[in-house]
Amino acid sequence: MHTRDTAAAGARPTPARPRIRTVPLIAAVATGCLLAGLTACSGGDSASSSSNVTLTIGEWTNPGAIEFTKELNAAFEKEHPGVTVKLQQAPTANGAWQQLTSSMLQSKSVDVLAQFAPTQQGFAPSYTNMKPGGSAALVASGQLVDLKDQPFMKSYDLDRQKAAVGYKDGIYGVMAAEYVSAGAVWYKKDLLAQHGIEVPETLQEFLDACAKLKDKGVTPIFAAAKEGMQGGVWQGIMNQTLMAGRPATDSVKVSSDRAEAFWKKKESWTDPVYKEISEQYQKVVQYLEPGATGVAQQTAPGVWASQPDDFPFLLDGSWDGAAIQQANPKLNLGFFMLPGTDDRAANRVAVKPDLTWVVPTSAPHRDLAMEWLEFFSRPENYKKWLTSTGSVSTQPAVKNTGLPWMDWLNSHMTDSFPLLTVPWTPVGASTDAAGPDLSKMAPVGSESVDTVLERSARAYQKAVQ
């Protein structure tokens, strides 16, 4: 449902991925029964229900999320007599969603709007002379309502919300979806069991598993290297390495401290830690399918799922459960986060903030918009949202029990942390400035670790001079 996912901090961003990639709606949704299941109290006593009003919701096009929102809107209308909810949508391709967003904001016609979470990377300090863009610009210019004191926000992890859409003392949205992207690994449970391999908990255990599989004639890892999906390995190792020994609540500080150090030339891509991360990355990527550079992301999940006796591991984000299950419904599917270090305690889940509901200050029906967000946030409704989208829950009390492959994630989310962000990079800078070009680094490419890191370091220094 989104454009492609940008990479975690430190490495060149992986190609964009559709956000809110869906898992097929459960049968009740497909047959229209979701309406009955969504919590709605008959005879709702809304302050807005005494007159005929139209509440407008803007959301980018994605089948599962859109269908859920339509059903939710119907249930909301039932609870609020006299209210009609209008859903405006457009695909993210070719700038259509950006155009619709601009049109709705300019006309002051939208009440609740989906946005990409800006994260703290969007708010560089004044000494950089970098101006916020995208949703961060809406926040910084006062065009979005601060939601931190709304009662429904108590259902969410406020530290995660601040990391996703916090600015100064406010929280300017409800981050409703998160995904695991950097270091995400899908696996075939039956194939691992056949070879006596358990889900690894350290990097060495993962490497040992790959070596064992290769010795048995099985190609360990499948990935769409044509579009840089192997980069998630580098990013996953980097996140866990830099966050080692730090509480999850420190992720924003770790990102901002690193960004400041890069900007002020106290740190660089050639620092020893990035060389070590790159060398660990190379150890993993040597087990990639030899033809990975010719594999496209659009087809990779289906191709991988259709071969149950080979490629135990797939490097791909947690959003692609739907595509995998559709390609092979019989596949006993599992998911875990690549253990990027040999320190078990450091190998935690890093999640990427995604779809965030915001309320423009120009919303025609601001109070009703708050009621819609409260309705969306009710645990019974939010749980159905998770099932329809495959998102990681942003409500601590609500688990992703509707999806079997979520079992590992559900048991490892207590100490997870928001993905580290990339050091501030001025507009117009070379793409090398944002991190190493892993398509050129061996073994996928032909260049050495030192060559790639040195080019990134030079590009960054040139960008900030």
Side-chain angles (χ1 to χ4, degrees):
M1 175 180 177
H2 43 252
T3 55
R4 292 189 186 277
D5 216 0
T6 54
R12 167 172 301 217
T14 49
R17 286 282 307 143
R19 284 188 171 79
I20 307 295
R21 189 85 175 230
T22 63
V23 171
L25 292 175
I26 54 178
V29 179
T31 58
C33 296
L34 177 60
L35 177 58
L38 291 170
T39 58
C41 304
S42 60
D45 189 21
S46 165
S48 305
S49 63
S50 58
S51 59
N52 293 325
V53 297
T54 298
L55 181 75
T56 301
I57 310 294
E59 182 179 17
W60 55 77
T61 302
N62 173 272
I66 290 293
E67 287 306 310
F68 168 85
T69 304
K70 288 179 178 178
E71 299 289 352
L72 184 80
N73 290 346
F76 184 80
E77 290 174 346
K78 184 177 180 180
E79 187 174 289
H80 296 72
V83 173
T84 299
V85 185
K86 179 182 179 181
L87 179 61
Q88 295 274 73
Q89 60 172 302
T92 55
N94 301 317
W97 170 246
Q98 288 85 349
Q99 292 175 13
L100 177 60
T101 296
S102 297
S103 174
M104 289 188 293
L105 289 173
Q106 289 174 5
S107 64
K108 301 181 179 180
S109 62
V110 63
D111 296 292
V112 181
L113 179 64
Q115 287 286 282
F116 299 133
T119 75
Q120 295 308 295
Q121 184 189 16
F123 305 103
S126 58
Y127 63 74
T128 67
N129 292 319
M130 292 176 60
K131 303 300 181 183
S135 55
L138 297 178
V139 173
S141 61
Q143 296 185 61
L144 302 182
V145 177
D146 182 1
L147 304 180
K148 75 173 182 300
D149 294 327
Q150 291 296 322
F152 54 77
M153 292 300 291
K154 295 178 182 178
S155 298
Y156 298 91
D157 183 326
L158 291 186
D159 287 327
R160 293 288 178 83
Q161 297 295 324
K162 290 176 183 177
V165 70
Y167 180 66
K168 296 183 177 178
D169 295 326
I171 300 177
Y172 292 87
V174 178
M175 189 255 294
E178 287 183 318
Y179 290 97
V180 181
S181 55
V185 182
W186 294 94
Y187 73 100
K188 298 166 181 172
K189 291 184 177 181
D190 293 342
L191 188 54
L192 286 195
Q194 176 184 332
H195 294 288
I197 296 173
E198 297 183 352
V199 174
E201 296 182 358
T202 68
L203 181 60
Q204 190 58 54
E205 287 180 4
F206 183 82
L207 294 172
D208 290 344
C210 288
K212 182 177 181 180
L213 290 163
K214 186 174 181 180
D215 287 345
K216 294 188 175 184
V218 176
T219 305
I221 304 174
F222 194 82
K226 181 178 181 179
E227 295 175 339
M229 294 306 293
Q230 80 282 1
V233 172
W234 196 98
Q235 297 150 11
I237 294 172
M238 184 272 301
N239 271 268
Q240 293 171 352
T241 298
L242 298 188
M243 278 293 291
R246 305 290 292 266
T249 52
D250 275 4
S251 65
V252 171
K253 178 174 174 52
V254 170
S255 290
S256 61
D257 286 351
R258 180 173 73 138
E260 181 178 359
F262 262 71
W263 191 273
K264 295 183 176 180
K265 303 180 182 180
K266 295 179 181 179
E267 293 185 16
S268 169
W269 292 120
T270 53
D271 287 354
V273 66
Y274 299 111
K275 182 171 183 177
E276 179 183 354
I277 290 167
S278 298
E279 289 172 347
Q280 299 289 57
Y281 155 84
Q282 289 181 311
K283 292 178 183 178
V284 174
V285 177
Q286 67 175 314
Y287 292 108
L288 269 181
E289 176 211 3
T293 55
V295 177
Q297 173 56 24
Q298 191 67 26
T299 59
V303 172
W304 177 77
S306 66
Q307 303 180 65
D309 298 324
D310 203 4
F311 310 117
F313 304 120
L314 170 68
L315 304 179
D316 196 7
S318 65
W319 53 74
D320 256 336
I324 294 170
Q325 291 174 323
Q326 289 170 351
N328 186 355
K330 296 181 179 180
L331 184 65
N332 191 4
L333 184 63
F335 180 91
F336 68 98
M337 183 91 173
L338 176 75
T341 77
D342 288 326
D343 177 2
R344 282 177 167 78
N347 296 330
R348 296 174 291 167
V349 177
V351 288
K352 181 176 177 57
D354 204 272
L355 184 144
T356 301
W357 296 114
V358 303
V359 177
T361 54
S362 60
H365 309 291
R366 187 184 299 188
D367 290 343
L368 192 59
M370 299 305 170
E371 294 181 36
W372 188 90
L373 288 174
E374 183 278 327
F375 192 72
F376 173 91
S377 300
R378 294 178 189 177
E380 298 87 345
N381 293 341
Y382 185 68
K383 190 171 183 178
K384 292 179 174 63
W385 162 264
L386 298 178
T387 301
S388 65
T389 62
S391 163
V392 173
S393 177
T394 63
Q395 290 191 9
V398 179
K399 302 297 182 182
N400 301 69
T401 54
L403 301 169
W405 56 263
M406 278 277 190
D407 54 353
W408 187 92
L409 276 178
N410 280 336
S411 64
H412 287 79
M413 289 300 295
T414 54
D415 59 352
S416 62
F417 60 89
L419 208 64
L420 300 182
T421 56
V422 178
W424 305 309
T425 307
V427 175
S430 163
T431 54
D432 286 305
D437 186 346
L438 299 171
S439 69
K440 295 179 180 177
M441 184 183 291
V444 174
S446 59
E447 295 182 349
S448 69
V449 166
D450 289 341
T451 297
V452 174
L453 293 179
E454 286 170 3
R455 182 167 54 244
S456 286
R458 290 195 302 271
Y460 189 85
Q461 292 304 319
K462 181 179 179 180
V464 301
Q465 284 177 350

